[in-house]
Amino acid sequence: MSKVLMKGNEAFGEAAIRAGCNCYFGYPITPQNEIPEYMSHELPKAGGKFLQAESELAAVSMAYGAAASGGRAFISTSSPGLSLMQEGLGFICSAEVPLVALNVSRGGPGVGGIQPGQADYIQVTRGGYNGDAKIPVFAPAGIQECVDLIYEAFEIADKYRNPVLIFADGMMGQMMEPVELPEKREIVPAEKISELKPWAITGKDNHPGRNVIYSLRMEPNVLEEHVEHLFEKYAEAERELVRYKTQGLEDAEIVFVAFGTMSRLCAEAIELLEEQGIKAGMIRPISLWPFPKKAFDEIGPKTKLVISTELSMGQMIDDIRLAVMNRWPVGLINRTGGIVPSSLEIVERAKKLLEGVK
Amino acid sequence: MQYGPRKIAVTGHFGSGKTEFAVSLAFALARLGAAEERLALCDLDIENPYFRSREQGAALEEAGIRCYSDPFGGRNGSELQTISAAVRAPLEDEGCRVIVDCGGDNSGAMVLRQFQKYFTLGEYQLLCVVNQNRPGTDTPEKAVAHLRAIEQASGLEVTGLVSNSHLIRYTTAETVTEGWEFAKQVETLSGVPALCACCMESIAPQLKNADFDVFPIGMYMRDTYLDKQV
């Protein structure tokens, strides 16, 4: 199949459509505005429904309702918008309804700024919702990978009957890249939903009994049993959904850990360091939850330092420390506020950190 | 008039590569010493929050190109849909060669309408950048529809086509040649002449025998790390 040149946000919308998404709910927020714009004119052509909600709270709740009735729902937003969606995401986890959410993140806290950021790491991996719930989170490094992950996320969400979150950043939403789009999956016709999703609310006609979707369980033992059931699913997700890539770990003195846009910068920094005679490698977590702890067991004997590189004040670094278990010192190279460092800055700071541990 | 009219406005479909072309054109004119006295680039993009030519403001100024954009000089990182009143200065200054970089589509070109009085037919170039690898302009018919919509929104006649069919790092000499053939089809359908084909500087030597004008463009707007494979 041939490649087409697409802006990230357009490609993300198209990926959802091709995955068979039949309902999108959104509210404008930069830097993901091209997604609702794209969905508004393309999703109806594909036989789906686009609805601009009055807020992010409304968008996630509409998606909850549409997915509860068997729709293949997709929502997208950017950092402060995701904060507003947290309540809904928790409800959807408890109600066991599949949903795909995309965060094209920007700088924070608060309204922050519109330039790229990764300071939602804790928000997406720990959740801002209440209660014991987990959401699988995937962080693509480029547009093609994001397209492929969105396409697959709908299947994962259906399998686990849980939201799945894609964590891209503003740079990926706004940049252009040639992409190969996946095959279009057909939208499931209404009369087929109860067969594929027997739990869905599709009307009394097809059911001997009645489906009820809810997140309220007043009896403590019933609620505990429900949460334990959710955690059986999460345990399976932890076994099945770990994704990562590594580069040059065997003989690396420095191991960068980076996801998303930062991983591309690290790839360039690794080349520059090599020119200066310093071997560096990289662990690139693709799944942020479950975090790829086992990747750290592949680190070779020459490594003196593991460096978390982040577009935040250092949030993934806690997961890295848990994975490293004191085997290597852990450093941090970061910028925040929407600033993306140059690969040269990463090189200089990495050399300084390396000096410190030698 | 060796370098054509003093005012050159750049329009095109969203994502066609207008900004990279406009910035490259400004640097090329500066290198050639094409400006009689002064050279300016007006970034009138009110569509995009990222990848606007004002991001190259410091490098442009260093090359002797005055950069005009929003009232904050492009420094506050916002996406306010405002344009500095100072944009009129280079348009009125007879001694200044000026490149106007518009936002994408007709919605981006609409900005030109308020400056219509500065554009008298025959005294300006209004270029439309064409990229057949963009889904919205992948047939000559769609490309012409965009061109007409841009004319309607701006109130100005498009005077030339710039072929910029590319696939970033996947671009080959063949991509550029096919893009030129596409631009010629757009020319036939629209009556607007295709002027040149852009290509990355690295590909230009392979096209030295091409039977069309090749305009090598830099990658000023795209940091190298964005094309690293991970």
Side-chain angles (χ1 to χ4, degrees):
Chain A
M1 191 187 279
S2 64
K3 288 183 190 296
V4 285
L5 188 61
M6 292 185 91
K7 188 170 188 168
N9 285 334
E10 296 175 323
F12 306 158
E14 184 60 31
I17 292 172
R18 290 188 179 227
C21 159
N22 65 348
C23 47
Y24 171 91
F25 308 92
Y27 185 76
I29 182 167
T30 307
Q32 64 85 55
N33 284 329
E34 295 85 355
I35 304 174
E37 187 184 354
Y38 190 85
M39 294 309 253
S40 72
H41 51 79
E42 295 304 319
L43 186 56
K45 284 186 208 164
K49 295 270 185 289
F50 164 88
L51 208 150
Q52 180 171 327
E54 68 267 34
S55 71
E56 286 87 349
L57 287 91
V60 71
S61 301
M62 288 171 178
Y64 179 13
S69 57
R72 203 156 226 213
F74 180 51
I75 53 175
S76 65
T77 187
S78 178
S79 309
L82 188 69
S83 302
L84 289 168
M85 290 179 169
Q86 292 298 326
E87 179 190 67
L89 290 173
F91 278 46
I92 295 168
C93 287
S94 179
E96 300 195 75
V97 166
L99 170 72
V100 176
L102 170 62
N103 178 22
V104 182
S105 70
R106 62 189 233 183
V111 180
I114 62 170
Q115 300 300 318
Q118 296 180 325
D120 296 343
Y121 184 90
I122 288 174
Q123 179 173 236
V124 298
T125 58
R126 306 300 191 268
Y129 40 82
N130 64 304
D132 290 313
K134 302 270 188 194
I135 294 178
V137 182
F138 297 100
I143 299 173
Q144 183 69 57
E145 190 172 46
C146 194
V147 163
D148 297 342
L149 283 169
I150 290 169
Y151 194 74
E152 192 189 353
F154 284 92
E155 300 295 308
I156 298 172
D158 277 354
K159 181 184 169 190
Y160 289 91
R161 285 180 57 190
N162 200 75
V164 173
L165 202 143
I166 310 292
F167 184 22
D169 59 56
M171 190 60 84
M172 258 176 264
Q174 292 296 319
M175 68 187 270
M176 312 270 303
E177 198 179 282
V179 287
E180 215 171 286
L181 295 163
E183 285 291 309
K184 171 92 176 75
R185 287 189 198 122
E186 289 310 313
I187 289 176
V188 175
E191 60 276 14
K192 279 259 175 126
I193 288 174
S194 58
E195 189 185 311
L196 292 166
K197 298 179 175 176
W199 49 265
I201 304 167
T202 53
K204 184 92 174 62
D205 294 350
N206 305 323
H207 300 282
R210 191 164 69 123
N211 283 343
V212 183
I213 286 177
Y214 58 100
S215 73
L216 176 70
R217 285 168 180 84
M218 296 295 278
E219 283 182 55
N221 59 330
V222 173
L223 180 55
E224 185 182 54
E225 199 178 308
H226 176 61
V227 172
E228 280 169 356
H229 157 68
L230 294 180
F231 271 68
E232 279 167 21
K233 292 196 303 184
Y234 300 148
E236 188 187 343
E238 282 190 276
R239 288 192 300 273
E240 302 293 327
L241 299 181
V242 171
R243 307 263 178 96
Y244 62 95
K245 282 198 173 171
T246 63
Q247 163 181 352
L249 295 186
E250 320 76 54
D251 53 356
E253 268 191 279
I254 299 170
V255 171
F256 291 112
V257 187
F259 67 95
T261 289
M262 267 310 237
S263 63
R264 291 187 170 203
L265 274 159
C266 285
E268 191 165 83
I270 289 168
E271 288 175 10
L272 295 171
L273 282 163
E274 183 148 27
E275 285 169 17
Q276 300 181 27
I278 300 168
K279 287 287 284 181
M282 175 159 57
I283 293 172
R284 177 165 79 85
I286 298 171
S287 59
L288 301 183
W289 187 85
F291 190 73
K293 284 184 189 159
K294 65 179 180 188
F296 293 78
D297 299 335
E298 296 175 26
I299 291 177
K302 291 184 181 163
T303 296
K304 297 189 177 70
L305 174 67
V306 171
I307 302 176
S308 182
T309 57
E310 306 186 53
L311 298 176
S312 72
M313 290 307 286
Q315 299 192 4
M316 177 174 63
I317 196 167
D318 294 340
D319 277 336
I320 295 172
R321 287 195 182 109
L322 286 170
V324 158
M325 300 278 280
N326 289 325
R327 285 176 283 178
W328 305 274
V330 179
L332 174 68
I333 295 177
N334 69 311
R335 291 300 294 264
T336 193
I339 293 174
V340 179
S342 68
S343 44
L344 279 172
E345 179 180 341
I346 294 175
V347 166
E348 290 313 312
R349 288 172 68 175
K351 278 160 58 184
K352 206 171 272 180
L353 287 169
L354 186 63
E355 279 300 305
V357 296
K358 266 185 175 170
Chain B
M1 294 287 279
Q2 190 194 348
Y3 297 103
R6 148 177 114 73
K7 295 168 202 160
I8 302 171
V10 184
T11 62
H13 177 43
F14 160 71
S16 57
K18 295 171 300 298
T19 296
E20 198 69 82
F21 169 72
V23 171
S24 292
L25 181 63
F27 280 122
L29 289 173
R31 273 198 305 273
L32 292 166
E36 290 76 359
E37 291 172 45
R38 289 170 288 280
L39 188 56
L41 186 144
C42 298
D43 173 1
L44 305 190
D45 189 345
I46 55 163
E47 298 275 297
N48 284 309
Y50 295 13
F51 299 113
R52 296 178 295 193
S53 46
R54 71 197 70 169
E55 289 173 19
Q56 292 300 317
L60 288 163
E61 298 276 343
E62 201 174 307
I65 306 157
R66 284 295 302 275
C67 183
Y68 297 86
S69 59
D70 58 56
F72 312 100
R75 285 184 305 274
N76 81 342
S78 76
E79 54 173 344
L80 293 174
Q81 297 187 329
T82 55
I83 292 164
S84 166
V87 161
R88 294 176 193 279
L91 290 170
E92 289 182 3
D93 178 358
E94 291 295 330
C96 184
R97 184 166 287 274
V98 55
I99 295 158
V100 179
D101 178 19
C102 301
D105 288 355
N106 49 341
S107 50
M110 199 192 303
V111 178
L112 281 174
R113 191 167 272 272
Q114 64 187 298
F115 301 110
Q116 212 177 1
K117 66 173 181 183
Y118 298 115
F119 293 89
T120 310
L121 198 61
E123 292 176 15
Y124 71 86
Q125 275 279 26
L126 180 59
L127 303 177
C128 182
V129 177
V130 180
N131 183 345
Q132 72 160 336
N133 297 316
R134 290 282 293 143
T137 52
D138 55 0
T139 67
E141 290 75 18
K142 284 197 219 168
V144 173
H146 269 285
L147 186 153
R148 296 297 177 221
I150 285 167
E151 287 183 325
Q152 200 168 23
S154 65
L156 299 171
E157 200 173 298
V158 172
T159 59
L161 302 172
V162 172
S163 173
N164 191 34
S165 290
H166 69 90
L167 286 166
I168 310 179
R169 63 176 176 274
Y170 297 102
T171 310
T172 61
E174 203 180 0
T175 317
V176 179
T177 307
E178 280 173 10
W180 173 255
E181 284 157 14
F182 179 81
K184 290 300 279 183
Q185 291 174 39
V186 179
E187 175 186 289
T188 307
L189 208 57
S190 66
V192 179
L195 304 179
C196 65
C198 300
C199 75
M200 285 185 291
E201 280 158 0
S202 56
I203 293 174
Q206 296 171 48
L207 289 162
K208 62 178 188 292
N209 297 323
D211 59 356
F212 52 87
D213 283 337
V214 172
F215 180 68
I217 56 170
M219 294 289 263
Y220 298 104
M221 301 306 301
R222 193 170 179 93
D223 282 325
T224 48
Y225 80 86
L226 290 174
D227 292 309
K228 290 289 165 206
Q229 295 298 289
V230 287

